[in-house]
Amino acid sequence: MKNLEIREPCEILKELDIVDTPGLGDIMGRFDDKVTDYLGRADAVLYVTSCLAPVSDSEKTFLSSVLAPDDTLRLLVLVNLCDCLDSQEDIRRIRENVQEKIYTVTENAGVFPVSGLDELCRKTGKQRPNEELAPELEAGFQDFMTMVESDILLRKE
């Protein structure tokens, strides 16, 4: 299969094309050239990392090589799985740690602590995975959506 098309009624997707590439360093690096090609044509790069092991040195090196030719390319870093953390202080510390690492690559970046599971539960009305952190996680996702809507889409026009 070369690609998969998913159709979902979501207003913002009418204005965006999202390409989900294989992870970096995929088996024997066979996809690295394709990933680099897609990223070279992007308006923005959405990079998802885990709060449990955020932004390794090899990931920083790869992002540097992709972003270096185009210093106007916006990098959006979603730090996922933040519902696994214990406190708002942990979220703040992880965000600062990721920002430090990412800002050595580019200052044209936004870092957003989120939880995909929390957002799914919020939108479907199910119990949130970490009620104590729910407001913080929702705010992180809303900040990300605001960045996409106000910055990426406006720049695209």
Side-chain angles (χ1 to χ4, degrees):
M1 177 184 326
K2 291 188 179 209
N3 64 345
L4 172 67
E5 188 171 323
I6 299 173
R7 295 183 182 266
E8 181 66 26
C10 180
E11 284 303 310
I12 198 165
L13 293 179
K14 292 179 181 177
E15 301 179 53
L16 294 174
D17 290 325
I18 298 174
V19 178
D20 183 10
T21 63
L24 303 178
D26 196 83
I27 299 172
M28 301 187 319
R30 64 186 178 150
F31 292 113
D32 284 353
D33 290 340
K34 289 181 182 178
V35 172
T36 302
D37 181 52
Y38 275 119
L39 294 177
R41 294 181 282 143
D43 294 313
V45 173
L46 173 60
Y47 186 75
V48 181
T49 189
S50 166
C51 72
L52 305 176
V55 191
S56 69
D57 288 341
S58 62
E59 291 168 321
K60 275 178 39 180
T61 300
F62 184 83
L63 289 170
S64 292
S65 70
V66 169
L67 297 172
D70 184 358
D71 62 354
T72 64
L73 188 60
R74 172 67 85 180
L75 175 63
L76 305 177
V77 180
L78 289 173
V79 185
N80 197 20
L81 297 173
C82 287
D83 59 288
C84 296
L85 300 173
D86 293 325
S87 67
Q88 290 182 357
E89 177 62 23
D90 288 345
I91 290 176
R92 185 193 61 76
R93 194 171 28 249
I94 289 288
R95 182 177 188 192
E96 287 175 359
N97 176 278
V98 171
Q99 279 177 325
E100 245 178 62
K101 291 178 179 181
I102 290 299
Y103 286 178
T104 63
V105 173
T106 180
E107 291 187 13
N108 196 16
V111 176
F112 308 94
V114 298
S115 164
L117 176 59
D118 180 78
E119 186 62 16
L120 177 64
C121 290
R122 185 182 76 78
K123 290 204 171 195
T124 58
K126 294 186 177 156
Q127 182 172 348
R128 312 277 282 273
N130 187 330
E131 290 292 338
E132 181 182 328
L133 298 180
E136 189 81 15
L137 298 173
E138 184 175 344
F141 192 82
Q142 290 305 317
D143 290 346
F144 162 69
M145 288 303 297
T146 299
M147 176 71 73
V148 169
E149 291 168 351
S150 67
D151 189 47
I152 304 304
L153 293 178
L154 287 177
R155 286 178 63 187
K156 189 173 179 163
E157 290 174 8

